[in-house]
Amino acid sequence: DQQVKQNSPSLSVQEGRISILNCDYTNSMFDYFLWYKKYPAEGPTFLISISSIKDKNEDGRFTVFLNKSAKHLSLHIVPSQPGDSAVYFCAASRGDKIIFGKGTRLHILP
Amino acid sequence: GAVVSQHPSWVICKSGTSVKIECRSLDFQATTMFWYRQFPKQSLMLMATSNEGSKATYEQGVEKDKFLINHASLTLSTLTVTSAHPEDSSFYICSARDGSSGGALRTDTQYFGPGTRLTVL
């Protein structure tokens, strides 16, 4: 039973354009949501997070939007840069436990 | 800040041997550490949560006698895979959280180590 779903295994975006990564969750008890970036053979790197009481959080080129009624969140990266090519994991937490999605591989095209 | 290291970064061992993986928080005190396992093209699966000085809490389906976790200090946790078998081959990742009040880091964010690739022959 997947509580956090990333339905797009991969996404290709032109450099300079906006990358939008989507994530859905099923458990309404989650109170915190996070996005992590991961390169091959490395641990995930924290990118940005959002509390369930907010609907938007922005940090530089990264913005996370949360739609609680739809149980949906998205990560926007603008403008996309070559270094953004990586696997992005959506995660949701309640207390100590974090549940990860399967990840979306983002390819930034030159 | 928030650097977490793991050692070794990769290890190859024979079936039946035990392997110890270390996870260290280098610039903060990790009140809680987590151990994950990632299979190819799969998500990170939480194996266990450990708080300093207490026994680890294992997720359902994770054998605590096979995956021994020790969190003896606020900067070090170890995972020992005992009597390793080929099916234990995986990418093991630890994370650490500074849950202490007054710390410089976010108390609700886990910081991940670089991972350890275990191959059991």
Side-chain angles (χ1 to χ4, degrees):
Chain A
D1 176 30
Q2 260 190 287
Q3 296 188 62
V4 179
K5 300 177 186 177
Q6 291 177 259
N7 291 319
S8 298
S10 68
L11 174 69
S12 294
V13 174
Q14 205 78 33
E15 181 180 353
R17 298 286 184 98
I18 183 172
S19 295
I20 300 176
L21 297 109
N22 293 302
C23 178
D24 297 295
Y25 61 96
T26 58
N27 190 340
S28 58
M29 300 300 290
F30 288 133
D31 55 11
Y32 211 76
F33 302 90
L34 311 96
W35 284 94
Y36 284 85
K37 177 180 179 180
K38 186 180 183 298
Y39 294 112
E42 293 184 11
T45 304
F46 171 74
L47 265 182
I48 192 169
S49 61
I50 187 168
S51 164
S52 61
I53 63 173
K54 296 190 174 183
D55 54 21
K56 177 183 175 181
N57 187 26
E58 191 172 351
D59 183 1
R61 296 187 298 115
F62 303 94
T63 303
V64 56
F65 296 92
L66 175 63
N67 182 335
K68 282 185 66 178
S69 60
K71 294 191 179 69
H72 177 85
L73 66 152
S74 60
L75 173 68
H76 292 211
I77 306 172
V78 56
S80 300
Q81 298 175 355
D84 296 330
S85 294
V87 176
Y88 289 79
F89 286 97
C90 168
S93 77
R94 180 167 178 256
D96 264 350
K97 193 173 292 191
I98 290 183
I99 308 294
F100 285 85
K102 287 191 174 181
T104 296
R105 183 174 297 280
L106 176 64
H107 299 272
I108 303 301
L109 306 171
Chain B
V3 178
V4 177
S5 71
Q6 273 184 248
H7 178 79
S9 55
W10 59 270
V11 57
I12 301 172
C13 68
K14 291 183 178 179
S15 185
T17 60
S18 294
V19 175
K20 181 185 281 188
I21 303 170
E22 292 186 349
C23 176
R24 293 181 186 273
S25 58
L26 299 184
D27 50 4
F28 67 100
Q29 293 187 326
T31 52
T32 309
M33 283 185 164
F34 307 84
W35 286 94
Y36 293 84
R37 183 174 177 176
Q38 185 184 25
F39 293 100
K41 297 185 179 180
Q42 297 286 326
S43 182
L44 289 87
M45 300 300 296
L46 179 64
M47 298 174 65
T49 302
S50 72
N51 292 294
E52 184 264 339
S54 61
K55 288 185 177 181
T57 302
Y58 290 80
E59 294 300 301
Q60 193 172 13
V62 178
E63 300 175 59
K64 61 180 181 181
D65 293 331
K66 181 168 186 61
F67 298 99
L68 301 178
I69 291 172
N70 184 280
H71 191 168
S73 76
L74 284 172
T75 60
L76 173 65
S77 175
T78 59
L79 167 69
T80 301
V81 183
T82 62
S83 186
H85 288 97
E87 57 266 29
D88 299 324
S89 298
S90 191
F91 192 56
Y92 293 87
I93 307 175
C94 73
S95 71
R97 185 174 71 96
D98 180 0
S100 60
S101 59
L105 301 177
R106 304 177 65 106
T107 58
D108 47 17
T109 300
Q110 293 182 24
Y111 297 91
F112 285 81
T116 297
R117 169 73 59 192
L118 171 63
T119 302
V120 184
L121 303 176

